[in-house]
Amino acid sequence: MSLWYPYAQMKTMSPPLDVASASGAVLQLTDGRKLIDSISSWWCVIHGYNHPVINAAIQQQLTQMSHVMLGGLTHEPARKLADKLVAMTPDGLNHVFFGDSGSVGVEIALKMAIQYHKNAGSHDKTQILALEKAYHGDTIGAMSVCDPVEGMHSLFAGLLPQQRFLPAPIGGFDADESATQHNLKLLSAMLDEHANTIAAFIVEPLIQAAGGFNFYSPTYLKEARRICDEHNVLLIFDEVATGFGRAGSLFAADQTGITPDIMVLGKGLTAGYAGHSAVMATDRLFNAFLSDDESKSFMHGPTFMGNPMACTIALSSIELFEKEDRLSRIQQIESILKDRILPITGKAVKDTRVLGATGVVEVDDSASLQGVQNFAADRGVWLRPFGTYAYTMPPYVITDEQLHQICDVLQAWFKQ
Ligand SMILES: Cc1ncc(COP(=O)(O)O)c(C=O)c1O
């Protein structure tokens, strides 16, 4: 087989489903079956497949230029997207550096944070603080801030930079005072002891996604902002998964009322049409790179950063998000998911949780999810559980009927 598939044992992998085309929330398979995509192709196809507005924008841009480097050249789509992102993200994130995937966005964020301190004369702040259960991507720097044990990357322990980790916050989205205090005490103690070597604290705000769908409280992040400031540690929000509505607000940061020093966007940024990411930074951060000394410049520049097609797609996607009021639709999706997913019970079920357009059923043992993918496909739904999690993160254009079909499948699986 010439094609090597992701996250798969190629010797024993079941044959993947062959997709001929896709439209709205539906994948059309070559064997004639149609499946509702319950996970938006790894959470990025936020407006569904084959959206006529985005298709038209791409076609128009294609007649101008498909690509031009951003080193020494500039173009309107990149400038317009940067302005738009600054206007729509939390106050103070005034600068945008583009990358070509979520993982590369995380790499950029980590490099920026460390160089920020070096440019300011602190040469010992070279470590990053992250959370257990975190997932930030599959490149070396990003892997180093994923959960060191459960995060798929323990094999590379000798290669990865040694970072510091805190236990994942407990208590869920509505954590009570004692859970929040417990979480914050751990953060304070860590920074009291190690802030001299820690450049930044990186988190997936509110939803730790691929590392186990741990939801946690906005209050934790609000207080983390204060604690990080007290210790001269930067705060990085990795919103690759949560950005563009997935946690119920445009950005998860919007529910915290704070501005991180650096914010990484990916996935929904380009609505599943192209790989791209945007790393947003505050004036404080950006200004630390301004100097007559060339060595203080940020030495990074992926070939496809600011690709005009990707920027045009992102602009078109953001316009759709606003014009078609996706946030209201996300609230309706959340309400259906709460009605249908939260009550799911069964011997295997450990927990159910919903936030925004994200619904999760956690089981005690991954064996209880064996077969669920085929069970769902037989019932017209594309579901791809991992570990002990069956979940849905549907495209926001999904119809109520399609969403109920996904929930029917999950309910039927856990009932049997
Ligand atoms: C929070 C988070 N950060 C980073 C990434 C990596 O993004 P990409 O797969 O585009 O490299 C992911 C991907 O799932 C993610 O969920």
Side-chain angles (χ1 to χ4, degrees), residues 4-10 13-17 27 35-43 49 138 152 209-210 213 359-361 366 369-377 380-394 406 409-410 414:
W4 197 336
Y5 289 91
Y7 304 125
Q9 173 44 257
M10 295 298 291
M13 180 183 89
S14 326
L17 303 177
L27 305 169
L35 301 186
I36 300 164
D37 182 357
S38 74
I39 54 167
S40 314
S41 269
W42 276 332
W43 334 331
Y49 297 93
D138 289 348
M152 301 187 283
F213 291 108
V360 182
V361 183
S366 58
L369 295 178
Q370 212 126 57
V372 69
Q373 194 166 304
N374 290 340
F375 178 87
V381 170
W382 169 235
L383 202 75
R384 188 174 150 95
F386 65 87
T388 50
Y389 310 94
Y391 73 98
T392 176
M393 285 169 136
I406 294 169
V409 164
L410 284 167
F414 290 105

Side-chain angles (χ1 to χ4, degrees), residues 117-183:
H117 289 291
K118 284 198 189 280
N119 283 1
S122 300
H123 292 276
D124 293 337
K125 281 178 166 284
T126 53
Q127 275 190 312
I128 304 293
L129 175 62
L131 293 171
E132 288 171 6
K133 286 188 184 252
Y135 176 81
H136 295 287
D138 289 348
T139 52
I140 304 295
M143 284 200 288
S144 77
V145 287
C146 293
D147 185 298
V149 181
E150 311 254 309
M152 301 187 283
H153 310 312
S154 53
L155 193 65
F156 301 99
L159 168 70
L160 301 180
Q162 286 301 297
Q163 314 291 18
R164 295 210 175 263
F165 289 88
L166 284 173
I170 58 166
F173 180 78
D174 298 312
D176 61 17
E177 177 70 15
S178 88
T180 302
Q181 285 314 317
H182 164 86
N183 296 329

Side-chain angles (χ1 to χ4, degrees), residues 56-388:
I58 297 174
Q59 276 159 6
Q60 166 62 21
Q61 179 55 42
L62 196 53
T63 63
Q64 307 299 309
M65 59 187 161
S66 64
H67 183 60
V68 61
M69 64 194 280
L70 215 48
L73 301 175
T74 185
H75 55 83
E76 195 182 1
R79 289 193 303 273
K80 263 175 94 172
L81 179 58
D83 287 348
K84 186 71 199 173
L85 291 173
V86 166
M88 70 195 293
T89 49
D91 278 353
L93 291 166
N94 292 333
H95 308 276
V96 184
F97 195 95
F98 289 118
D100 44 16
S101 68
S103 299
V104 168
V106 169
E107 300 286 341
I108 291 168
L110 301 185
K111 282 175 69 175
M112 255 182 201
I114 288 168
Q115 193 176 343
Y116 164 85
H117 289 291
K118 284 198 189 280
N119 283 1
S122 300
H123 292 276
D124 293 337
K125 281 178 166 284
T126 53
Q127 275 190 312
I128 304 293
L129 175 62
L131 293 171
E132 288 171 6
K133 286 188 184 252
Y135 176 81
H136 295 287
D138 289 348
T139 52
I140 304 295
M143 284 200 288
S144 77
V145 287
C146 293
D147 185 298
V149 181
E150 311 254 309
M152 301 187 283
H153 310 312
S154 53
L155 193 65
F156 301 99
L159 168 70
L160 301 180
Q162 286 301 297
Q163 314 291 18
R164 295 210 175 263
F165 289 88
L166 284 173
I170 58 166
F173 180 78
D174 298 312
D176 61 17
E177 177 70 15
S178 88
T180 302
Q181 285 314 317
H182 164 86
N183 296 329
L184 290 169
K185 250 192 212 151
L186 293 173
L187 173 61
S188 286
M190 170 65 80
L191 293 189
D192 284 347
E193 196 172 347
H194 297 293
N196 59 329
T197 57
I198 293 176
F201 179 31
I202 186 168
V203 294
E204 297 155 90
L206 304 184
I207 300 181
Q208 294 188 285
F213 291 108
N214 182 43
F215 296 178
Y216 64 96
S217 136
T219 312
Y220 175 74
L221 293 169
K222 207 179 271 184
E223 290 301 306
R225 170 77 280 178
R226 183 183 54 74
I227 296 167
C228 284
D229 283 345
E230 283 169 8
H231 291 85
N232 188 25
V233 166
L234 298 172
L235 182 60
I236 303 174
F237 277 7
D238 174 354
E239 292 234 22
V240 170
T242 51
F244 298 97
R246 194 52 73 184
S249 46
L250 186 52
F251 301 104
D254 298 341
Q255 295 179 54
T256 67
I258 59 155
T259 300
D261 299 286
I262 301 176
M263 182 158 126
V264 187
L265 302 174
K267 291 195 188 276
L269 172 70
T270 36
Y273 274 77
H276 224 64
S277 54
V279 184
M280 318 268 312
T282 58
D283 289 342
R284 168 165 77 125
L285 203 113
F286 179 78
N287 290 342
F289 289 76
L290 301 181
S291 171
D292 294 325
D293 178 354
E294 277 291 324
S295 73
K296 292 197 170 174
S297 314
F298 189 50
M299 300 309 282
H300 201 100
T303 304
F304 290 105
M305 71 178 290
N307 171 263
M309 302 288 281
C311 291
T312 300
I313 291 163
L315 283 162
S316 170
S317 165
I318 290 166
E319 207 178 310
L320 266 181
F321 205 98
E322 291 169 346
K323 268 200 186 141
E324 299 193 355
D325 196 5
R326 291 285 184 259
L327 280 179
S328 301
R329 179 62 190 146
I330 289 164
Q331 273 173 15
Q332 293 159 357
I333 290 173
E334 180 180 53
S335 145
I336 292 175
L337 291 178
K338 281 186 167 163
D339 281 352
R340 300 289 318 274
I341 302 263
L342 293 183
I344 290 178
T345 50
K347 219 165 56 180
V349 176
K350 183 175 174 192
D351 188 34
T352 54
R353 44 196 183 268
V354 169
L355 186 61
T358 306
V360 182
V361 183
E362 181 177 355
V363 297
D364 283 312
D365 181 353
S366 58
S368 344
L369 295 178
Q370 212 126 57
V372 69
Q373 194 166 304
N374 290 340
F375 178 87
D378 289 345
R379 288 156 183 79
V381 170
W382 169 235
L383 202 75
R384 188 174 150 95
F386 65 87
T388 50

